C-alpha cells in the first residue's frame, strides 16, 4: 500500500511499513505508481528492501538507484540502517555518498525526510 503525501511542497509516495519485499521488479512498480500519481520522491521503509539491496556486490542497490535516477525520481530509504553500515565499509561509503546528493537519501524517519526536503 502506498500513500501520496506532500511534504514542504514536494509530492512523496510513501510506502507502508507492512508489505512484501521490494526488489528490482517491485521498484519498477513503485516508479510507475509514483509517475502516475505525480510524485517526485518515493519513501521506502528500509525493512521492506530485499536483503540483496544491502549487499552491494549483488548490484541490486545500484540497479534500483539507477532506475530511480533514469526516471528523475528521488528515493528515500527510511529507517535505521546503522547495523548494516557498521558491518560493511562499502555500504557505509555508499550511504554517505548517496546522502551527499539530491537523488537517494538514507534517513532515520519521516521527520528527517521532511527536514531534508525543506532545503
Amino acid at each position: 500500500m502506498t500513500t501520496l503525501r506532500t511534504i514542504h511542497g514536494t509530492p512523496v509516495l510513501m510506502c507502508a511499513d507492512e508489505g512484501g519485499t521490494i526488489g528490482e521488479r517491485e521498484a519498477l512498480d513503485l516508479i510507475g505508481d509514483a509517475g502516475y500519481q505525480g510524485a517526485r520522491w518515493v519513501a521506502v521503509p528500509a525493512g521492506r528492501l530485499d536483503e540483496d539491496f544491502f549487499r552491494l556486490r549483488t548490484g541490486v542497490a545500484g540497479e534500483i538507484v539507477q532506475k530511480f535516477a533514469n526516471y528523475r525520481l528521488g528515493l528515500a530509504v527510511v529507517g535505521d540502517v546503522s547495523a548494516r553500515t557498521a558491518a560493511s565499509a562499502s555500504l557505509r561509503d555508499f550511504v554517505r555518498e548517496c546522502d551527499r546528493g539530491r537523488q537517494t537519501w538514507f534517513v532515520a524517519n519521516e521527520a528527517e525526510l521532511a527536514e531534508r526536503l525543506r532545503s
Side-chain angles (χ1 to χ4, degrees):
M1 174 135 212
T2 59
T3 305
L4 186 67
R5 288 185 41 208
T6 300
I7 303 172
H8 300 296
T10 302
V12 180
L13 187 68
M14 307 292 293
C15 295
D17 288 335
E18 301 79 30
T21 301
I22 296 171
E24 291 179 65
R25 182 176 302 131
E26 295 80 10
L28 281 173
D29 291 342
L30 286 172
I31 289 167
D33 195 16
Y36 178 76
Q37 293 193 44
R40 291 190 14 225
W41 279 83
V42 176
V44 176
R48 298 251 336 254
L49 288 168
D50 188 294
E51 277 303 310
D52 282 346
F53 181 91
F54 298 102
R55 289 191 286 269
L56 295 183
R57 70 181 177 277
T58 66
V60 172
E63 288 293 321
I64 289 175
V65 167
Q66 187 61 51
K67 285 176 182 16
F68 276 87
N70 289 347
Y71 287 92
R72 301 186 194 282
L73 282 171
L75 170 63
V77 177
V78 182
D80 184 10
V81 296
S82 61
R84 289 182 170 109
T85 57
S88 169
S90 58
L91 180 60
R92 185 172 47 251
D93 292 343
F94 176 73
V95 168
R96 183 174 41 248
E97 287 302 313
C98 286
D99 285 343
R100 288 181 181 166
R102 295 276 313 149
Q103 175 65 46
T104 303
W105 295 333
F106 289 79
V107 296
N109 51 45
E110 288 182 32
E112 186 178 342
L113 174 59
E115 187 59 35
R116 298 273 325 248
L117 288 171
R118 182 186 309 270
S119 50

